[in-house]
């Protein structure tokens, strides 16, 4: 059955129409002062797209913006032609144009979608939404909640600070950090829950640049991490420092509500000097749903990925990361030409992989389908980076010379300053795949490369 008829979406034949358009968001506390944004179907976050594992998503992007755009389905091990990367896998979709995306969903989990054209501007304006792929069998939770965290740079009128788009100062530092947090498009999301309830909370960081961290009072709520970047992990109680999410990362949390009826549980963003209340879980006065929380956390069923990667005879790709403020980049190759740092800065390029800024003419590696690939990322910059590989999930297998075992499958990994991390994946998905920093100003200012699998 086409999903469009099942859920009553705006449909065109078999395709669910997704409009990239303008809208308004109640980002500020004062609800009659709305912020003009760009948004999918005019809503923030965009519509929740929900499928069952193995289904085929058929989505027609309709571009009702005045700028070209595209949609990238972040974290999906997707058919390359559907990956949405302008300049690599498709042409831009012009204003008024459409593009039909059709792809099957091999993995259950929490994914999301956003443009892949001038992403640093389009995502910051509000173009993003969740793509949920349900497990074959329903998971034993009472409810499923979304937690979509963003960071906005607003001016005093509560408008998006457009003047700061593309500023090289931001690009050379941590990226375009905002001054206003939102959860599900609100200054503070309010959830209602019942004492004793077991919830699945799907969290994503959609910020351009901010690495966020969330925490709650554990006497009121028990928290287990059950998936990262869509892929199940053995359930583990959330550490005392809380949940760190780099841009684009996701986590599925299992929440067991311990607090009493009528109580309140604030969810705090704790990465900054002052904790900020990002959301509030308000408990109803109803008697507890359960006397005690269920005994065991949930282990989600495996997706079709091996538990562990076979590291015999891999293709090894070194990747040295340089540049940015307080880095030592003197010169680099840009579009086939060696340029000194001043000329690079004039072109807005300040970061390099292996001495190349921006999308290289040649891929980082040309790989035969089926080979195992190990990329050694060496971060010689003074900044953390959120490295994202398209079309695959990967495992960290070594960090600063120490072998790692049973690391989670990820599509986006944080690498801190001076770290060296080896990641491994099986190149089983043919095509041209981007590998870039998801701090979007870093990406725009040079931090991207690609691999080709044939
Ligand atoms: Cu979330 Cu290259 O993208
Ligand atoms: Cu970066």
């Amino acid at each position: 059955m086409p999903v469009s008829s099942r859920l009553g979406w705006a449909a065109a034949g078999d395709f669910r129409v997704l409009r990239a358009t303008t809208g308004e968001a109640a980002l500020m506390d004062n609800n009659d002062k709305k912020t003009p944004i760009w948004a999918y179907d005019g809503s923030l976050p965009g519509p929740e797209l929900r499928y069952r594992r193995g289904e085929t998503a058929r989505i027609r992007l309709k571009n009702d913006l005045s700028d070209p755009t595209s949609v990238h389905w972040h974290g999906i091990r997707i058919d390359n032609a559907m990956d949405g990367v302008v300049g690599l896998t498709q042409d831009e979709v012009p204003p008024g144009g459409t593009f039909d995306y059709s792809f099957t969903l091999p993995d259950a989990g929490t994914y999301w979608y956003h443009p892949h054209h001038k992403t640093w501007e389009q995502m910051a304006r509000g173009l993003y939404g969740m793509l949920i792929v349900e497990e074959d069998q329903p998971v034993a939770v009472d409810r499923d909640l979304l937690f979509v965290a963003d960071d906005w740079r607003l001016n005093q009128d509560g408008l998006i600070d457009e003047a700061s788009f593309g500023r090289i100062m931001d690009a050379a530092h941590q990226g375009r950090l905002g001054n206003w947090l939102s959860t599900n498009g609100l200054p503070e999301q309010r959830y209602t829950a019942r004492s004793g309830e077991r919830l699945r909370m799907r969290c994503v960081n959609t910020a351009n640049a901010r690495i966020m961290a969330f925490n709650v009072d554990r006497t009121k709520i028990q928290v287990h991490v059950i998936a990262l970047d869509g892929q199940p992990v053995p359930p583990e109680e959330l550490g005392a420092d809380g949940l760190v999410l780099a841009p684009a990362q996701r986590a599925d949390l299992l929440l067991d509500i311990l607090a009493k009826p009528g109580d309140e549980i604030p969810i705090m963003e704790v990465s900054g000097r002052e904790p900020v209340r990002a959301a509030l879980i308000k408990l109803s006065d109803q008697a507890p749903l359960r006397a005690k929380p269920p005994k065991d956390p949930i282990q989600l069923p495996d997706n079709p990925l091996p538990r562990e990667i076979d590291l015999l005879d891999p293709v090894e790709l070194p990747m040295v990361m340089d540049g940015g403020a307080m880095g030592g980049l003197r010169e680099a190759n840009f579009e086939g030409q060696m340029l000194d740092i001043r000329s690079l800065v004039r072109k807005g390029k300040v970061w390099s992989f292996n001495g190349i800024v921006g999308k290289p003419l040649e891929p980082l590696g040309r790989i035969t389908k089926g080979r195992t690939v190990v990329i050694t990322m060496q971060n010689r910059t003074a900044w953390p980076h959120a490295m994202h590989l398209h079309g695959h999930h990967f495992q960290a297998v070594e960090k600063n010379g120490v072998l790692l075992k049973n690391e989670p499958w990820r599509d986006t990994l944080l690498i801190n300053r001076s770290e060296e991390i080896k990641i491994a994946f099986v190149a089983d998905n043919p095509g041209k795949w981007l590998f870039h920093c998801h701090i979007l100003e870093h990406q725009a200012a040079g931090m991207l490369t690609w691999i080709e699998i044939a």
Side-chain angles (χ1 to χ4, degrees), residues 87-101:
L88 192 69
T89 67
Q90 71 166 88
D91 292 332
E92 57 186 38
V93 181
T98 64
F99 191 96
D100 288 350
Y101 293 96

Side-chain angles (χ1 to χ4, degrees), residues 160-293:
I160 290 173
D161 177 6
E162 298 178 332
S164 66
F165 280 133
R167 256 188 213 154
I168 191 86
M169 270 299 281
D170 291 325
H173 291 77
Q174 186 57 67
R176 186 172 173 273
L177 295 170
N179 50 16
W180 192 259
L181 299 180
S182 71
T183 304
N184 300 341
L186 300 166
E188 180 185 293
Q189 167 72 50
R190 293 191 169 225
Y191 301 98
T192 52
R194 191 165 161 190
S195 179
E197 244 192 319
R198 168 165 269 192
L199 308 168
R200 178 182 190 167
M201 185 174 265
R202 301 171 185 267
C203 311
V204 59
N205 178 348
T206 65
N208 278 34
R210 186 175 299 281
I211 299 164
M212 300 199 220
F214 298 95
N215 218 337
V216 286
D217 178 350
R218 300 317 159 70
T219 64
K220 296 188 172 186
I221 191 166
Q222 200 179 342
V223 185
H224 286 88
V225 179
I226 56 171
L228 291 168
D229 292 353
Q231 302 295 350
V233 295
E236 196 179 330
E237 192 159 353
L238 185 65
D241 295 341
L243 177 71
V244 176
L245 284 180
Q249 288 187 322
R250 285 92 62 217
D252 287 43
L253 302 179
L254 188 68
L255 308 179
D256 286 305
I257 310 272
L258 310 174
K260 304 260 169 317
D263 207 348
E264 291 184 341
I265 312 171
I267 302 180
M268 308 300 293
E269 202 289 326
V270 295
S271 71
R273 239 171 280 145
E274 291 284 325
V276 176
R277 203 154 97 170
L280 185 72
I281 304 176
K282 176 99 188 67
L283 300 202
S284 73
D285 294 325
Q286 285 169 290
L289 191 62
R290 294 180 180 82
K292 270 195 211 147

Side-chain angles (χ1 to χ4, degrees), residues 314-334:
V315 179
E316 301 240 21
L317 303 174
M319 199 185 81
V320 178
M321 312 161 80
D322 274 308
M326 293 169 281
L329 192 67
R330 294 277 153 268
E331 55 173 18
N333 192 300
F334 177 56

